[in-house]
Amino acid sequence: MKEGFILEEELKKLPAKPGVYLMHDSADEIIYVGKAVSLKNRVRQYFQKSRSVTPKIERMIGRIAWFEYIVTDSELEALVLECNLIKEHSPRYNTMLKDGKSYPYLKASVQEAFPRLLFARQMKRDGSRYFGPFTSGKAIRDTIELVNQLYHLRNCRRNLPKDTGKERPCLYHQIGQCLAPCQGGVTQEEYQKNFQKALRFLQGDTKGILAELTEKMTRASEEMRFEDAAACRDQINSIQQVTEKQKITSDDNEDRDIIALARGGDEAVVQVFFIRGGRMLGREHYYLTGVEEEPDTAVLSAFIKQMYSGTPYIPKEIWTEKEVEDAGAILDWLSAKRGHKVYFRHPKRGQKERMLELARRNAFMVLTKDAEKLKAERARTIGAMEEIQSLLGMEGLVRVESFDISNINGFETVGSMVVFENGRAKKNDYRKFRIRSVSGPDDYASMEEMLTRRFEHSQRDNLSEEDSFKHLPDIIFMDGGRGQINIAERVLDTLGIRVPVCGMVKDDHHRTRGLYFQNQEIPMDTHGQGFRLITRIQDETHRFAIEYHKLIRGKGQVHSILDDIPTIGAARRKALMRHFSSLEQIKNASLEELKEVPGMNERSAAEVLRFFGKEEGKDE
């Protein structure tokens, strides 16, 4: 419980106003974010003995150490804030959208005197007209190339008409695909007529151009201009291929997204059909986690809020099979983002219902097809953590931190910290350490310095949420046995931190064989997912430390004291480091011992002795 936080007193202070509440656990992690029309009524419900909640929320309540809230002026503001906070903190008990996809657009720069068709990753308020979003960047580029050929549009970056005549025309003009507005080869009015035809083509009006090309092809064939006829034929085929991808779903030319849901356990798949101008331009599926025990209305609500908070384009209509939780507030929010009214539709019959059914079947196909893959992924991550928890007799293990030391005979020692959450590597939280206070190959002392620095950092005030050191692990895995565990436990005891420490034990062949926990070695099933996860953690910790050490050496940042000895170059320095186990041994070596090093002659050995303040052949 947060210091000074008294639950009964804080519940009394809750205002009867709209807002957002954030639930924290004992490690100060945000585990749930929710919105409320009345914070007083909503938050108090969690702590009433007569509450009726799902098992998932009951587990969440059991972990709440304290809460905070933010008051807003309206439910709509609360909804927007809730979306932002969920996206920022990814609370473990919120239903979360796993994909962070964005889709490209076809951009028509209608605000230019001589407009162009461009590929765009984002939709901006720049006066241009946008088509999409599309699920395939290649489809956009193919379409741009085809339309430019059909209507002889430019694709250069010249500022026209300002730069007219400054440079010679490009290759596209030479091959007859561009009318060269850069040279005044076409007036602005004539060019705009062609561009308007191109826009109508992009909106689906292809009958005119197909008829025109068919006529040209026939005439060229009759006049035995077979190359021209073949070019027309290829353009007709390209147009038909493009238009075949745009399945007509209605004749009302509206923009809409069709959303269908398929569920299985704690996983769900949402299928979205993108309908633009009455045509389906593409489709995409999304994975959701944390949906178990949540009703469909809540899952759809969570998905819609997270998806549309990250996309610049909002369609006029959103079709779903069922009602959406908080529909009124969501529609107000989407309408404000779009600048025009947005509607939810729930078709029950006819062609519209069949489109929803098609989306639903696709969602189930994806879920069924990927069920084994999702099951295997869960087994190797969350399932593996559950297996380790069972072996150790613990529960609630989410965040794991592991540490390792790397050096070459004690030279330029570095350390690594890797982090796994729910069985997955969390690489943004990895950290590197250059050991400062230890000279020579003393892994225990180096480990003590690294752990002290890591956990002292966690006790600093005003750490941001992005700081990896702010979050304490649920368990520490040490790459070694009892000795490494003793070091870690001593550091934690000194700092007053309670985190269990477990050793990852290797056999004589340097292969993982089990765990060392609470003064006993725990054997593991070498074919189990838990064992494989431990091996991955151990290998990743070792890899990260070695790569950092190589990076430092590769950049020439390692400066050994041996570099300052005359006649001792890189080859002899490496030979000295291989022959002696530490810098201290080199300092104490005799002339004869130094001459035994490969590549060392008597003169070089004498230079080493003189450098360390010793006479030739005599110890100090």
Side-chain angles (χ1 to χ4, degrees):
M1 191 71 70
K2 185 182 180 183
E3 184 177 353
F5 185 88
I6 302 173
L7 179 61
E8 293 76 12
E9 295 298 321
E10 294 299 325
L11 290 175
K12 293 177 182 177
K13 298 176 185 177
L14 286 165
K17 294 182 178 181
V20 173
Y21 54 93
L22 300 88
M23 302 298 192
H24 294 252
D25 64 7
S26 56
D28 206 24
E29 178 188 352
I30 297 174
I31 59 175
Y32 188 77
V33 174
K35 73 165 185 65
V37 178
S38 170
L39 287 166
K40 180 178 181 179
N41 296 338
R42 186 72 186 94
V43 177
R44 287 167 66 94
Q45 288 176 357
Y46 288 102
F47 304 98
Q48 292 173 350
K49 293 182 179 179
S50 60
R51 62 179 178 259
S52 177
V53 296
T54 64
K56 172 185 171 182
I57 297 300
E58 190 66 49
R59 291 192 297 272
M60 183 269 291
I61 294 171
R63 297 193 60 174
I64 296 174
W66 65 284
F67 64 81
E68 59 180 318
Y69 54 87
I70 303 170
V71 175
T72 60
D73 289 332
S74 66
E75 185 183 5
L76 176 59
E77 288 183 4
L79 174 69
V80 174
L81 182 57
E82 179 198 30
C83 290
N84 294 338
L85 291 175
I86 290 175
K87 196 171 184 179
E88 174 72 20
H89 299 292
S90 301
R92 68 178 66 184
Y93 286 100
N94 283 94
T95 297
M96 294 300 302
L97 176 61
K98 291 172 70 174
D99 306 70
K101 301 177 181 176
S102 61
Y103 300 98
Y105 296 82
L106 194 158
K107 174 181 174 180
S109 59
V110 295
Q111 76 279 13
E112 294 182 325
F114 293 89
R116 296 169 292 161
L117 298 179
L118 305 166
F119 179 96
R121 279 291 175 191
Q122 293 182 331
M123 190 169 154
K124 301 178 180 178
R125 296 180 180 273
D126 55 4
S128 299
R129 183 171 178 183
Y130 289 84
F131 296 85
F134 293 83
T135 55
S136 169
K138 184 178 183 301
I140 295 180
R141 293 185 175 94
D142 289 347
T143 302
I144 290 174
E145 182 179 356
L146 172 63
V147 176
N148 283 346
Q149 289 177 10
L150 291 174
Y151 298 101
H152 307 292
L153 304 180
R154 72 184 184 103
N155 61 3
C156 64
R157 298 182 180 180
R158 297 175 186 175
N159 185 1
L160 302 181
K162 179 181 177 181
D163 294 337
T164 301
K166 289 186 177 180
E167 298 180 38
R168 65 181 183 179
C170 64
L171 179 62
Y172 288 101
H173 173 65
Q174 304 296 331
I175 62 177
Q177 290 187 13
C178 178
L179 298 175
C182 59
Q183 298 297 312
V186 60
T187 66
Q188 185 174 335
E189 290 74 18
E190 291 171 339
Y191 186 93
Q192 284 285 357
K193 287 179 181 179
N194 276 4
F195 194 77
Q196 291 305 315
K197 291 179 182 179
L199 292 182
R200 288 196 294 273
F201 173 85
L202 291 173
Q203 292 170 332
D205 183 9
T206 59
K207 292 181 180 179
I209 189 65
L210 284 173
E212 181 182 334
L213 287 172
T214 302
E215 183 183 348
K216 284 184 178 179
M217 180 180 67
T218 303
R219 186 166 57 250
S221 179
E222 290 172 349
E223 295 173 359
M224 302 184 70
R225 292 184 287 109
F226 298 116
E227 288 187 3
D228 293 341
C232 291
R233 179 204 61 201
D234 292 342
Q235 287 183 329
I236 291 170
N237 291 336
S238 296
I239 292 171
Q240 289 173 341
Q241 289 177 8
V242 170
T243 55
E244 280 173 2
K245 295 177 183 177
Q246 300 180 347
K247 179 181 177 183
I248 296 177
T249 58
S250 67
D251 57 3
D252 55 10
N253 295 322
E254 291 291 358
D255 292 353
R256 61 175 59 92
D257 288 347
I258 299 175
I259 298 175
L261 173 69
R263 307 181 57 160
D266 196 39
E267 302 278 351
V269 170
V270 174
Q271 181 82 43
V272 182
F273 287 171
F274 301 109
I275 310 299
R276 299 295 179 263
R279 289 164 173 78
M280 188 171 78
L281 298 183
R283 63 179 184 177
E284 193 55 72
H285 62 267
Y286 302 80
Y287 290 104
L288 294 166
T289 58
V291 303
E292 195 171 13
E293 303 160 5
E294 294 282 352
D296 289 352
T297 55
V299 175
L300 287 170
S301 176
F303 169 75
I304 288 170
K305 287 186 286 187
Q306 292 180 66
M307 176 183 170
Y308 291 111
S309 66
T311 180
Y313 184 77
I314 310 295
K316 180 180 179 181
E317 295 180 358
I318 299 173
W319 291 5
T320 61
E321 300 173 89
K322 299 181 179 180
E323 298 287 339
V324 177
E325 191 175 280
D326 298 326
I330 292 175
L331 286 176
D332 289 343
W333 168 58
L334 293 176
S335 298
K337 285 194 69 173
R338 185 173 187 267
H340 296 283
K341 188 70 174 173
V342 177
Y343 302 89
F344 281 138
R345 306 293 190 203
H346 315 290
K348 301 299 182 185
R349 62 178 66 87
Q351 176 68 13
K352 294 179 179 180
E353 194 278 331
R354 286 194 290 273
M355 282 303 300
L356 265 172
E357 173 60 26
L358 178 62
R360 181 169 59 246
R361 287 204 306 270
N362 276 269
F364 273 106
M365 284 173 59
V366 172
L367 188 65
T368 303
K369 182 181 68 175
D370 292 349
E372 289 303 316
K373 183 174 72 175
L374 293 172
K375 183 178 179 181
E377 177 63 16
R378 188 190 184 285
R380 72 184 294 273
T381 55
I382 297 174
M385 285 301 300
E386 291 173 349
E387 190 176 316
I388 293 170
Q389 287 180 167
S390 178
L391 281 171
L392 301 179
M394 303 177 67
E395 61 180 25
L397 298 185
V398 175
R399 183 183 175 95
V400 171
E401 290 183 5
S402 179
F403 301 85
D404 194 19
I405 296 294
S406 179
N407 61 68
I408 298 179
N409 293 331
F411 292 94
E412 202 64 41
T413 303
V414 299
S416 69
M417 164 185 146
V418 304
V419 180
F420 277 64
E421 284 192 0
N422 289 315
R424 294 183 177 90
K426 191 176 183 183
K427 295 193 176 183
N428 286 344
D429 282 3
Y430 285 15
R431 291 296 181 268
K432 305 167 184 174
F433 299 81
R434 294 186 73 168
I435 304 305
R436 303 164 180 163
S437 63
V438 181
S439 62
D442 191 339
D443 284 358
Y444 284 172
S446 300
M447 182 65 72
E448 184 170 8
E449 179 191 324
M450 175 167 59
L451 292 173
T452 300
R453 286 163 57 188
R454 184 267 177 265
F455 289 105
E456 280 184 343
H457 193 125
S458 72
Q459 296 180 328
R460 296 179 184 175
D461 295 331
N462 302 321
L463 290 180
S464 68
E465 287 293 330
E466 291 76 24
D467 195 324
S468 173
F469 292 150
K470 177 182 176 69
H471 308 285
L472 292 177
D474 297 311
I475 192 168
I476 296 171
F477 282 156
M478 303 299 297
D479 188 17
R482 185 67 230 176
Q484 295 279 23
I485 294 174
N486 285 339
I487 295 294
E489 289 179 340
R490 184 165 71 232
V491 170
L492 295 172
D493 288 342
T494 302
L495 298 174
I497 296 173
R498 297 185 61 185
V499 175
V501 183
C502 183
M504 299 180 290
V505 185
K506 292 186 176 181
D507 59 20
D508 294 336
H509 301 285
H510 208 65
R511 293 176 301 201
T512 306
R513 76 174 186 224
L515 298 175
Y516 192 87
F517 187 61
Q518 294 180 343
N519 296 318
Q520 61 177 335
E521 185 171 329
I522 302 173
M524 301 184 71
D525 175 10
T526 55
H527 300 289
Q529 291 293 347
F531 179 83
R532 292 171 183 170
L533 176 58
I534 292 296
T535 303
R536 287 200 301 276
I537 293 173
Q538 198 167 33
D539 291 346
E540 180 70 353
T541 310
H542 192 54
R543 177 200 66 79
F544 192 54
I546 289 176
E547 283 192 359
Y548 181 41
H549 198 263
K550 285 181 179 178
L551 177 66
I552 291 177
R553 288 185 285 121
K555 289 184 176 180
Q557 293 175 345
V558 176
H559 179 78
S560 167
I561 192 172
L562 301 180
D563 293 336
D564 298 328
I565 305 176
T567 76
I568 300 299
R572 283 175 176 157
R573 184 177 71 247
K574 290 179 181 177
L576 284 167
M577 291 164 63
R578 291 193 200 99
H579 190 81
F580 296 99
S581 61
S582 68
L583 184 63
E584 200 64 30
Q585 284 193 11
I586 297 174
K587 289 180 180 179
N588 296 327
S590 66
L591 180 67
E592 293 303 318
E593 289 173 331
L594 290 169
K595 287 167 61 178
E596 291 175 2
V597 176
M600 292 284 288
N601 54 31
E602 185 166 349
R603 178 169 172 266
S604 298
E607 287 289 355
V608 173
L609 290 178
R610 270 194 293 273
F611 182 81
F612 289 114
K614 301 165 69 176
E615 296 180 6
E616 293 184 19
K618 296 181 181 180
D619 292 340
E620 255 187 348

